[in-house]
């Protein structure tokens, strides 16, 4: 196999090598041309030195920023600061020429502009770092679960159940939308592809529960879809979620797993992506690495929803949204709690029944459920989880309370009478975790091709 630039930069010079990539910068000084060549394999570029008369003038004039080349030559120790080696070119082949209107010239571009050229932005240094870290983070997640014996389940993307009960789902249909078949005035889904109304999943949790009650410890990691019309920096219509589910487990065990998980995946990325993390620390958020190192070391805080509400009420902050027991916490409240009040990641537990999903276990007070959200500075809610209602009768009451049709959940109810056990799990928003780890401020900039209200290009 050919060596990528990351490997070439670590090779023992002098040695003959062949490097392929895209030109990031071109500089000429005293008839010597210097190219910075990148291939996405690492944060650093390989400097290529083209001596006078090494290559033809016409070829030299075609070596613009963005062009793809192959360079053969000798890797030698470099005298320049910031690089150990450089490549003395003997031969250059132009593999992919670049037109002069290539938009990624040397100046810094805004992230807003780069979103409009999502087909080219992966070649920039920032997005190179973002997508390498995205890869490293998902590997860290799989390693964490694999080390603990968790089985990964591929839960379906097309579903017929609204797991979160929020009704913000995309339909999947082959019906003619201009003239759908009708029965009794309503659209007749019996004539649709699946012979019933089908949707894109908002969460793989319900199916993960099925597998937890057979394999004990499982997780799903896949795309989820929410048709929430919230145009914020933290919401996407398509995002990835990591959802572990554990049988014979309660809320305390769930939070213990979530904490160990967060710490381990952060420390994994810090050690495996040192250069990229230094880049974020320097250019995106000063002090990022130190902040994350502290998170790896310190324990997360815990407080109940009821405690959080009193803290918010006594805070003397003027919030845009009201604070009162029974109302959901808004992003501004979550940020205040984790950033100002406790100053580190905090689990909020025992939320009112009415603002959480039907599957959460009803507590003895009958007002709250065994729920937990993990809030982190800079992002707010990063994880949502709970102990599930394992008692059939209480689950039926919950379905009734939320006006859900028990017939839609027959298999889910079945699990409660065929060897059901206490079980719990959580969902980590993968992009929120990436924002937290990279310091990137907008979810659109940690996802290769973001889908948000009004945007599905590329
Ligand atoms: O809190 P949520 O809605 O929980 C669930 O879906 C449960 N079924 C999880 C479980 O217990 N297995 O979503 C989980 C996480 C949130 O904490 C947030 O990080 C992320 O998913 N999330 C989003 N991320 C990006 N864009 C959106 N629109 C998101 N909605 C939720
Ligand atoms: Mg939530």
């Amino acid at each position: 196999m050919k060596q990528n630039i990351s490997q070439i930069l670590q090779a023992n010079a002098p040695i003959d090598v062949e490097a392929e990539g895209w030109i990031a910068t071109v500089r000429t000084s005293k008839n010597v041309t210097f190219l910075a060549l990148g291939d996405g394999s690492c944060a650093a570029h390989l400097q290529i030195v083209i001596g006078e008369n090494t290559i033809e003038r016409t070829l030299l004039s075609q070596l613009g920023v963005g062009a793809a080349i192959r360079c053969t030559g000798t890797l030698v120790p470099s005298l320049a600061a910031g690089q150990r080696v450089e490549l003395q070119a003997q031969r250059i082949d132009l593999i992919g020429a670049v037109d002069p209107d290539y938009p990624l010239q040397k100046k810094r571009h805004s992230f807003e502009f780069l979103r409009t050229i999502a087909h080219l932005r992966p070649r920039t240094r920032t997005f190179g770092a973002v997508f390498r870290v995205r890869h490293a983070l998902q590997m860290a997640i799989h390693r964490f679960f694999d080390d603990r014996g968790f089985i990964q389940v591929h839960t379906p993307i097309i579903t017929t159940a609204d797991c979160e009960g929020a009704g913000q789902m995309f339909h999947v249909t082959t019906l003619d939308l201009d003239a759908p078949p009708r029965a009794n005035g309503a659209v007749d889904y019996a004539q649709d592809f699946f012979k019933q109304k089908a949707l894109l999943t908002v969460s793989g949790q319900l199916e993960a529960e099925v597998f937890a009650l057979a394999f004990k410890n499982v997780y799903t990691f896949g795309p989820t879809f929410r048709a929430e019309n919230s145009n914020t920096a933290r919401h996407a219509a398509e995002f990835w979620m990591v959802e572990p589910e554990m049988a014979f487990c309660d809320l305390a065990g769930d939070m213990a797993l979530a904490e160990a998980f967060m710490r381990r995946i952060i420390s994994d990325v810090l050690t495996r992506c040192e250069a990229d993390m230094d880049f974020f620390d320097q250019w995106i958020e000063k002090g990022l690495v130190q902040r994350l190192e502290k998170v790896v070391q310190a324990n997360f805080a815990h407080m109940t929803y009821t405690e959080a509400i009193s803290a918010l009420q006594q805070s003397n902050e003027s919030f845009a949204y009201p604070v009162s027991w029974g109302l959901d916490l808004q992003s501004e409240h979550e940020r205040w709690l984790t950033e100002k009040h406790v100053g580190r990641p905090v689990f909020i537990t025992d939320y009112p029944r009415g603002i959480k999903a039907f599957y959460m276990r009803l507590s003895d007070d009958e007002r709250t459920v065994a729920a937990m959200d993990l809030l982190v500075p800079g992002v707010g809610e990063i994880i949502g989880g709970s102990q599930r209602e394992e008692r059939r009768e209480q689950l039926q009451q919950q379905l009734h309370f939320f006006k859900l049709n028990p017939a839609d959940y027959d298999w889910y109810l079945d699990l409660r009478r065929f060897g059901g056990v206490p079980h719990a799990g959580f969902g980590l928003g993968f992009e929120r975790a990436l924002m937290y780890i990279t310091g990137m401020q907008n979810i659109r900039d940690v996802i290769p091709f973001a889908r948000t209200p009004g945007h599905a290009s590329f």
Side-chain angles (χ1 to χ4, degrees):
M1 212 174 78
K2 284 181 188 168
Q3 288 193 313
N4 61 30
I5 286 176
S6 159
Q7 293 163 324
I8 290 173
L9 287 171
Q10 283 164 37
N12 282 326
I15 188 175
D16 287 343
V17 298
E18 185 177 278
E20 293 165 336
W22 292 266
I23 298 172
T25 61
V26 183
R27 180 169 61 85
T28 304
S29 162
K30 297 182 194 137
N31 295 328
V32 179
T33 302
F34 298 89
L35 306 179
L37 194 70
D39 68 354
S41 59
C42 60
H45 291 143
L46 172 64
Q47 172 158 288
I48 294 178
V49 185
I50 310 172
E52 199 178 356
N53 303 326
T54 308
I55 61 170
E56 283 184 26
R57 278 196 166 277
T58 33
L59 175 59
L60 195 60
S61 69
Q62 290 173 296
L63 301 182
V65 172
I69 61 163
R70 178 180 303 122
C71 174
T72 18
T74 310
L75 191 74
V76 296
S78 175
L79 300 175
Q83 60 188 26
R84 205 176 57 82
V85 289
E86 62 190 28
L87 180 55
Q88 295 283 357
Q90 274 140 24
R91 173 194 170 124
I92 290 192
D93 296 296
L94 180 66
I95 311 293
V98 67
D99 283 351
D101 58 342
Y102 183 65
L104 296 175
Q105 301 301 331
K106 202 178 174 185
K107 79 181 183 90
R108 241 185 137 181
H109 298 285
S110 74
F111 291 149
E112 287 79 7
F113 169 70
L114 291 172
R115 276 174 220 147
T116 69
I117 51 166
H119 56 309
L120 297 171
R121 72 173 183 172
R123 295 198 205 158
T124 63
R125 297 190 75 180
T126 303
F127 288 94
V130 164
F131 295 122
R132 276 188 299 275
V133 168
R134 188 175 167 112
H135 166 77
L137 183 62
Q138 61 99 21
M139 292 300 289
I141 288 168
H142 287 301
R143 264 195 305 272
F144 173 87
F145 288 123
D146 191 48
D147 287 352
R148 282 172 172 69
F150 281 61
I151 296 282
Q152 186 189 5
V153 201
H154 293 135
T155 52
I157 287 170
I158 299 172
T159 181
T160 52
D162 180 357
C163 171
E164 295 305 304
Q168 296 160 321
M169 302 183 76
F170 292 99
H171 287 203
V172 179
T173 180
T174 53
L175 292 178
D176 177 1
L177 293 182
D178 291 324
R182 292 184 176 273
N184 307 319
V187 173
D188 184 12
Y189 287 103
Q191 295 185 47
D192 203 349
F193 188 90
F194 297 106
K195 305 214 181 309
Q196 59 179 317
K197 193 196 271 188
L199 307 148
L200 290 181
T201 189
V202 294
S203 158
Q205 177 197 321
L206 302 187
E207 292 92 350
E209 286 184 51
V210 171
F211 272 68
L213 294 176
F215 296 90
K216 206 166 166 189
N217 294 329
V218 302
Y219 70 107
T220 88
F221 188 173
T224 50
F225 307 86
R226 295 194 185 181
E228 313 174 70
N229 204 3
S230 36
N231 235 322
T232 77
R234 289 176 191 79
H235 289 87
E238 176 178 318
F239 62 98
W240 283 60
M241 215 199 296
V242 186
E243 296 181 276
E245 189 70 33
M246 293 163 290
F248 305 95
C249 182
D250 60 9
L251 190 67
D254 198 29
M255 287 190 283
L257 183 84
E259 182 164 346
F261 170 71
M262 287 306 293
R263 289 204 176 139
R264 165 77 188 280
I265 61 177
I266 292 170
S267 69
D268 233 46
V269 168
L270 283 172
T271 47
R272 286 175 190 256
C273 304
E274 218 183 304
D276 287 325
M277 292 307 294
D278 285 345
F279 175 87
F280 291 123
D281 195 292
Q282 188 179 350
W283 298 101
I284 304 296
E285 183 188 324
K286 291 260 176 299
L288 172 76
V289 168
Q290 209 186 3
R291 165 168 76 70
L292 292 173
E293 279 167 351
K294 260 167 54 190
V295 170
V296 171
Q297 276 144 27
N299 289 331
F300 294 2
H302 289 252
M303 68 197 304
T304 64
Y305 167 88
T306 306
E307 288 163 350
I309 292 292
S310 6
L312 286 160
Q313 283 169 337
Q314 287 159 25
S315 70
N316 292 323
E317 294 273 328
S318 54
F319 294 115
Y321 290 87
V323 175
S324 144
W325 203 98
L327 295 182
D328 207 356
L329 298 179
Q330 300 297 321
S331 178
E332 55 173 351
H333 308 138
E334 296 176 338
R335 300 277 300 263
W336 179 83
L337 285 165
T338 177
E339 287 164 19
K340 304 245 168 74
H341 188 57
V342 285
R344 61 194 159 116
V346 57
F347 286 107
I348 310 289
T349 61
D350 306 287
Y351 283 80
R353 175 192 197 186
I355 58 171
K356 287 291 182 190
F358 76 94
Y359 52 70
M360 297 192 183
R361 192 179 197 278
L362 194 60
S363 302
D364 292 344
D365 61 15
E366 300 208 339
R367 296 173 76 215
T368 62
V369 285
M372 61 94 157
D373 275 4
L374 178 64
L375 314 181
V376 296
V379 173
E381 178 190 342
I382 196 166
I383 279 179
S386 63
Q387 183 173 341
R388 322 304 188 188
E389 184 55 85
E390 85 283 14
R391 301 160 299 183
R392 186 178 160 83
E393 204 172 298
Q394 277 82 348
L395 184 58
Q396 277 167 326
Q397 279 174 25
Q398 281 285 89
L399 289 171
H400 180 74
F401 180 82
F402 287 99
K403 303 191 170 57
L404 297 168
N405 181 7
D408 294 341
Y409 298 89
D410 53 351
W411 56 269
Y412 192 68
L413 285 158
D414 258 0
L415 294 174
R416 274 70 190 164
R417 59 193 187 95
F418 298 140
V421 296
H423 58 289
F426 64 81
L428 169 79
F430 183 59
E431 285 77 15
R432 300 246 177 120
L434 266 168
M435 292 170 71
Y436 183 55
I437 291 175
T438 61
M440 296 293 287
Q441 295 286 309
N442 198 305
I443 196 163
R444 293 162 182 78
D445 297 329
V446 295
I447 200 162
F449 303 98
R451 271 81 181 97
T452 52
H455 294 276
S457 312
F458 302 100

